[in-house]
Every structure is written in structure tokens, then in C-alpha cells.
């Protein structure tokens, strides 16, 4: 985890090595007659991991002004895809990019 950091011109760049996880929908259950919402375990674990990685790269002073986030998500092609198609095909499975963005 970690690449480069420039504070002042405000470029903070780092890499998080983890399997991409999309933001899961909140789940609902009832306990004692009351409904409660909770975040799925896989989503919560991924959010915690990203939070820990980003804290290691935070600047000493608070950021003022606009923030630009560039997010690159890399996924492996599914093993179920035929070998002849793997070299040229782009994965078209869900989840969408906005669900990855929501997690971050």
C-alpha cells in the first residue's frame, strides 16, 4: 500500500492491494419488534481496510479547496470464460463502477 505523496500542490497517490468490492445494499432485520438496518460484512470489511490505508497517507494539515479522486479498479476475468475469449474480451459483469465509487 503506498506510492507517492505531495502536499501543497495536493497530490496524494496510493495503491490498495485488495480484491475490488462493490458497496452492498443495506440489509434489514427486526429485533424485539424494531427494524434495524446494517451494512453487509463484506462491505464493512472493505470499508475498514480502505479507511486504514487512506489514514496512512493523509496530509498533516486539512485539505482546503476541491478534491479530485481518480479510482482505478482492476478485476480478473472470470475462469468460466473460454480461454480463446479471455485474451480479447472485457469483463461485462456487475457491479457497476458507481458501486465501487460509493465504497471508497
Amino acid at each position: 500500500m503506498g506510492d507517492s505523496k505531495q502536499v501543497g500542490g495536493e497530490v496524494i497517490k496510493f495503491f490498495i492491494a485488495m480484491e475490488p468490492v462493490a458497496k452492498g445494499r443495506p440489509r434489514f432485520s427486526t429485533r424485539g419488534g424494531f427494524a434495524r438496518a446494517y451494512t453487509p460484512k463484506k462491505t464493512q470489511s472493505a470499508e475498514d481496510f480502505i479507511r486504514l490505508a487512506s489514514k496512512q497517507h493523509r496530509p498533516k494539515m486539512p485539505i482546503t479547496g476541491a478534491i479530485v479522486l481518480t479510482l482505478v479498479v482492476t478485476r480478473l476475468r472470470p475462469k468460466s470464460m473460454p480461454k480463446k475469449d479471455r485474451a480479447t474480451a472485457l469483463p461485462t459483469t456487475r457491479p457497476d463502477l458507481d458501486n465501487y465509487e460509493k465504497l471508497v
Side-chain angles (χ1 to χ4, degrees), residues 43-64:
T43 299
Q44 186 64 47
S45 297
E47 286 174 338
D48 291 343
F49 189 76
I50 291 169
R51 186 178 301 111
L52 176 66
S54 61
K55 279 185 178 181
Q56 294 175 355
H57 297 279
R58 70 178 174 206
K60 290 178 178 41
M61 298 297 292
I63 296 173
T64 58

Side-chain angles (χ1 to χ4, degrees), residues 25-94:
R25 290 177 179 243
R27 304 292 182 210
F28 298 91
S29 67
T30 57
R31 178 172 250 166
F34 296 98
R36 87 178 179 101
Y38 65 93
T39 303
K41 188 79 168 166
K42 188 174 181 181
T43 299
Q44 186 64 47
S45 297
E47 286 174 338
D48 291 343
F49 189 76
I50 291 169
R51 186 178 301 111
L52 176 66
S54 61
K55 279 185 178 181
Q56 294 175 355
H57 297 279
R58 70 178 174 206
K60 290 178 178 41
M61 298 297 292
I63 296 173
T64 58
I67 296 174
V68 176
L69 172 69
T70 303
L71 181 65
V72 177
V73 178
T74 305
R75 294 189 56 193
L76 298 174
R77 288 188 177 82
K79 290 184 178 185
S80 61
M81 184 179 288
K83 286 184 180 181
K84 65 178 183 172
D85 295 338
R86 280 190 214 158
T88 58
L90 294 173
T92 58
T93 60
R94 292 194 179 266

